[in-house]
Amino acid sequence: MTAATTEPVKLPPGPRIPKLIQGAAVLTARYGAIAALGRRYGSEFTLNIPVFGETVVISNPALVKELFSSSRELIGRPQNNLGGDVLGPGSIFNLEGDELLARRKLLLPPFSGKNMRAYESITEEEVVREIRSWPEGVEFATLEPMMRITLNTILRAVFGAEGEELDELRELMPKAVEFGSKIALMPSIVRKDVGPWSPGGKFAQYRRRMDELLSSLMRQARSDPNFTDRGDVLSLLLQARYDDGQPMPDNYIVDELLTMLVAGHETTSTQLAWTIERIRRHPNLLTRLTEEVDAGGNELLLATIAESQRTRPVLTAALRRTRTRVRLGEWVIPEGDTILASTQLAMAAESSFPDAEKFDPDRFVGNPPNPFAWIPFGGGMMRCIGASFATMEMEVTLRTMLREFRVEPTSEPDEKPHSRGVTVTPARGGRIVVHRRTAPSATAADAVSAAKGDPV
């Protein structure tokens, strides 16, 4: 187990090239640079990069387990993270220790049980609404359609209603997310608001308008005569209480709502685009998935999503910071260093996933992965609270798409990874060619009617 120590510092080896060059390589050629470093140095190495400074990279499942299980007195969040400058001090991304534990207890209930079943229906309606306009026989990128599906789904799940505010958020959020993603990994001075023409100032303008819209939606929820019976996330958070009976402050709820919209939008849509990119290049798998969907199953589909996350991770790292000098495995890491659990390297390790370069969903059929080797949602107390929601969105989206369309396979080369800042996307947007199937199911017809607002 990770432990505090006074032993001399002992770090893994790493490249000695200048800090800026290391940072540029990791940011702009993330998959390739990290893979090359893993081949050169193995499962542990040390980087020195802008924003995060001295950074110890690990991917061995035993060390990842140690890190994710470490006491919060020893390991905390990195000093440079999305919380403070982008999502706000009330975001769960900015909390540690007892505060983080208490907040997780408030945030987890809306994403479980009957609420998730309601969100599944919302997701299917949004997928049907989006795919009605898909062209047949013409190749197009799926990243933007997937972003619309996930954004509309999270907006309806979080706020439970339509209206002018939600319409504006649909326009505003993609712009804010794309811009925020680009500046999030830059030095903190870049993210500061020093005027309307500065990057930080531009994002601050987005943020102020989003705060106004979210505050308006909160007032509307509270004034609803059926407020206590509503099942949307906003209403549940407004009614939630800490163990001492106190509510979450409104400004913190705004930060959490923004966090949900950002974290539950871009990452899921990008993984969907990657999954489409993957299955088009495996015709036999595509046939089996369609047959499974027609039969009402989902085991292979869930395994395919898991394998897409393994081979094309959208987020390539889980970041932590040492709060004191610690021993982690054979290494002694000084206070204030960043520890980077590389999701990419962990999930590409032959020791954990034989024939790791092969896209093979069957490896997960009836065989759940090691939770410290397969880590697309991070781990420990900082594991993504929306993991089950994201998995549900991906399953419903792909199931509905395969039910309604025949997807045309391709022999084109794999799409290359493209760094979009925080996330890694398919360079060509996860392109697809579809042909509508002749007999949509009754379930699909019902979803179409619901998406149009017709009675069913």
Side-chain angles (χ1 to χ4, degrees), residues 95-113:
L95 302 182
E96 298 185 74
D98 291 340
E99 277 189 294
L100 174 60
L101 179 61
R103 184 66 59 80
R104 285 183 68 89
K105 289 176 67 175
L106 289 189
L107 295 178
L108 284 171
F111 294 102
S112 61

Side-chain angles (χ1 to χ4, degrees), residues 343-366:
T343 56
Q344 175 188 341
L345 292 181
M347 297 193 295
E350 284 286 331
S351 56
S352 298
F353 304 100
D355 203 5
E357 290 191 4
K358 182 180 179 181
F359 183 77
D360 180 19
D362 284 302
R363 74 173 77 241
F364 291 134
V365 174

